[in-house]
Amino acid sequence: MSDKIPEGNRSARERLAQQREREKGREKRRRTLIVASAVVGVLGLAAVVGLIAANAGKDDGGDSASGPAVAPSGAIGEAALTLPVGAADAPSALTIWEDFRCPVCAQFETAFRDTITELADDGQVRVEYHLATIIDGNLGGTGSLRAANAAACAQDVGKFAPYHDVLFSNQPPEPDDAFAKNSRLIELAGEVEGLDTPGFRSCVEDGDHDSWVKKSDTAFREGGFQGTPTVLLNGESVFPSKGEEQISPENLKKWVAEANKGKKPGTATPAEGSTTSSTPAEGSDAPSAPDGGASTPAAPSSAAGS
């Protein structure tokens, strides 16, 4: 018998093989289309979720920062972007840039609040606060802006310092944009005696100082600072260290004492709500830090501009 396949059978088998290959090709293209459609669907869902997250809280206090910048009462310095605490004629200025959503800022506040309060009360430093909103830019949301506006509203009635402390003491986790809700900010105002008034509520809900906060944040970004908190003593960075010395309550007191050697403590504390600008302390060219405390916090982790 011949071991060759008859010509007719060969052609039939080749046609069958070709048909099977064509079917496999169609099936492969069909599966590829299904997978591609599924990927597009997932990406679309992610985009929707991201949009929802980015807009969280806007219905309860959106960004109205399109109008003219209205500085809070008592703000001083260039463009009235500084909120001062302490004696206007103190020999040194302690400058701090903060974001109310910044967790390292809250650590700094916890660690140094008592120390800085003591230095300010003794007329050794004038504390100058500046506000930034970099966490809103990094993570989305409006909590940094809303909290900063509320703090500026508190400044209008001479309650900035205690309300500032309450906000940091009740700071939500960094990804949680709880401060985007004006209702939460007004609720916390109840912890500051005399702050929760119709005027304060209106200021918070209407975003009276939103544009001013935006202007302050722009100044922060254009100032070349790397993150919050940024802390300066007479213009020199002292956080997380000054030279080779790590910041601590003890070292901060030492640095202030060295800067103030031979100088008299300040006594001219401006009246609450005053709009009179004070003369900058010698060597000062920037804003200050929060109140002092206990343990040394970590280095800045909230990078600007991301």
Side-chain angles (χ1 to χ4, degrees):
M1 293 180 61
S2 172
D3 59 358
K4 293 182 180 180
I5 300 174
E7 193 62 33
N9 291 344
R10 183 191 299 274
S11 298
R13 291 181 180 180
E14 286 176 352
R15 288 196 298 272
L16 181 60
Q18 290 172 356
Q19 177 67 22
R20 287 174 176 171
E21 288 299 322
R22 286 195 293 270
E23 290 176 356
K24 287 181 181 180
R26 284 195 296 269
E27 178 65 16
K28 184 177 181 180
R29 288 193 295 273
R30 187 180 72 83
R31 290 180 179 178
T32 300
L33 182 61
I34 292 173
V35 172
S37 299
V39 170
V40 171
V42 170
L43 291 176
L45 179 60
V48 172
V49 171
L51 182 62
I52 293 172
N55 286 280
K58 286 187 178 179
D59 60 342
D60 189 13
D63 179 0
S64 59
S66 58
V70 179
S73 179
I76 65 171
E78 185 177 356
L81 295 178
T82 302
L83 302 180
V85 174
D89 58 346
S92 287
L94 188 63
T95 298
I96 183 167
W97 294 85
E98 290 182 307
D99 182 327
F100 286 109
R101 288 181 71 186
C102 162
V104 183
C105 295
Q107 293 173 23
F108 179 85
E109 285 293 325
T110 299
F112 289 90
R113 179 174 293 121
D114 293 342
T115 300
I116 295 176
T117 297
E118 179 185 337
L119 290 169
D121 288 348
D122 290 346
Q124 299 300 312
V125 297
R126 180 179 71 254
V127 187
E128 299 178 335
Y129 294 92
H130 283 213
L131 306 180
T133 62
I134 64 174
I135 303 299
D136 284 357
N138 291 348
L139 299 182
T142 59
S144 300
L145 173 63
R146 301 261 48 77
N149 172 70
C153 294
Q155 168 70 18
D156 283 336
V157 291
K159 302 287 186 180
F160 169 78
Y163 187 61
H164 158 278
D165 294 348
V166 166
L167 287 177
F168 276 117
S169 296
N170 291 274
Q171 184 189 75
E174 189 176 15
D176 182 355
D177 199 23
F179 281 170
K181 295 183 177 296
N182 289 332
S183 56
R184 175 57 176 161
L185 299 170
I186 291 171
E187 177 187 9
L188 291 174
E191 297 186 22
V192 178
E193 184 177 0
L195 179 56
D196 186 6
T197 63
F200 173 79
R201 290 185 173 218
S202 175
C203 181
V204 171
E205 290 169 348
D206 294 343
D208 286 359
H209 300 299
D210 281 359
S211 292
W212 176 84
V213 173
K214 290 274 190 178
K215 190 173 183 179
S216 180
D217 183 65
T218 297
F220 172 79
R221 295 174 187 275
E222 293 179 349
F225 303 116
Q226 298 303 307
T228 53
T230 288
V231 185
L232 310 169
L233 176 59
N234 296 328
E236 180 182 3
S237 177
V238 295
F239 184 85
S241 61
K242 179 178 181 288
E244 296 183 355
E245 291 185 285
Q246 191 78 13
I247 193 171
S248 66
E250 294 74 21
N251 278 342
L252 182 57
K253 287 182 179 180
K254 183 187 74 170
W255 298 336
V256 170
E258 291 171 349
N260 292 352
K261 189 174 182 180
K263 301 174 184 177
K264 294 181 179 179
T267 57
T269 303
E272 289 187 350
S274 168
T275 56
T276 303
S277 296
S278 59
T279 303
E282 182 179 337
S284 170
D285 62 3
S288 289
D291 302 335
S295 61
T296 302
S301 66
S302 301
S306 55

